[in-house]
Amino acid sequence: MSAAESTGLVPGGGRVAILGATGSIGTATLDVIRSLRQCDPESDWRAWSISGHSRIDSLSRLAAESAPLPETVVVSDESRRGEADTCWKNLNLQGRCRLDFGPEALVRAATAPEVDTVVASIVGRAGLESTLEAVRAGKRVGLANKETLVVAGPVVTQAAAESGSELLPIDSEHSAIYQCLAESRHLAAGSAESVAPQPNAAQSLSSSPADRAHSLNSGNSAEDSFSRRFPGVRRLILTASGGPFRDATTQQMRDATPAQALNHPTWDMGQKITIDSATMMNKALEIIEAKWLFDVPADRIEVVIHPQSIIHSLVEFEDGSVIAQLSPPDMRLPIQYALTHPNRLPCPSPVLDRQKPWEMSLLPADHERFPGLSLGFEVAKVGGTAGVVVNGANEIAVPLFLEGKIRFTDIVELCRQTLRSHNHESSPSLSRLLELDAWSREHASGLAAKIHI
């Protein structure tokens, strides 16, 4: 009997497709899989497939160092075929694991029948199609790519409801909330089972669109739907470190350099998410993600500043109690939770050293210095096409700042102006969302061209 089976519960499965393996989430996932192979060998944990875009040397080395080798390695940038073939020859990987190329290859990896769990960690909107197809295929999906729900939340959650796919968050904040909601999910499932059969508890997140449809058909409000799904819950509270400019003035942020913005005090992340953390657009995107992931009204979400990044999020209940999830800042814990839920197994992430003092402070968020927060709540409130437009503009603005073409404070302003310039639609199709993604990028680029620094 495996360590997972000893609990009497069934996890997502040991064969994992890692979309975006060369980033920080992808390499951490590989580390988690190596650990799980040691502590739960009977479950045969392995990276069935891995993908990368342009960092071919890194991707090739990750494949060569994996044991067992991945069945498939995907290079989504087809122009890198020659470089990949050379690496395969140099590392003696030819005939040992298959190379596949292009965006369609990402979909093939995500939907392969052998794959149990897909870790969606491709940065930005580029991960949408492969993640959506994994959901449609009924896979357990560990969501590290928040942009998927920001861009196409209603489409993705509806697909999950129809396929039975499990959407489990890897973002540390949303993973923390999911863990803190365990009692409420249990209460809701028990109440529902007294009326009609329900899916298993691990599918509780993916059932939210069906609940939403029931709410609309029965005339209940979104508030009623949330209260029914999470009885006794008053508010979801996301924590934010505050980034490198937590105590900076608006003028200091206006004059900030890319090097200053990339100097995050607690997390080691890629450039895009580090800049998003500095502007707090990362938290804005997490507000929108939480709205879709938990089917929660925007006014039931709150953001507080927690500089130490030990408290990853909190849930407040109607009786005034607050439950929090705490751990040192290390993404391997939420990654493993998404892979093994509902089981708890030894994890390679560090534990909280209780033999030394820990300072854990909570501070109110400053919406004036960080207007991205207010923008996030606005988008979460209106839903529809707002998310894709703001996300597209942000994905244009961040590299422009890193290239020195706009100021740090221009990033959120470009997002805000792009949102104001579009005609909001409440129930867009996927094709319409993709059209607006392209439009928002073009519009933001045009706005940025008029900025003189």
Side-chain angles (χ1 to χ4, degrees), residues 250 253-255 371 401 406-414:
T250 300
M253 286 189 279
R254 186 180 186 276
D255 298 334
F401 166 68
I406 63 174
R407 292 177 291 269
F408 178 79
T409 49
D410 291 329
I411 296 174
V412 173
E413 182 59 21
L414 282 178

Side-chain angles (χ1 to χ4, degrees), residues 301-334:
I301 304 170
E302 185 179 333
V303 173
V304 297
I305 303 301
H306 172 56
Q308 297 84 14
S309 298
I310 298 295
I311 303 171
H312 297 294
S313 276
L314 314 92
V315 173
E316 181 184 42
F317 295 85
E318 292 293 356
D319 62 2
S321 295
V322 176
I323 293 180
Q325 187 266 329
L326 287 71
S327 62
D330 190 302
M331 289 305 299
R332 289 174 293 183
L333 180 57

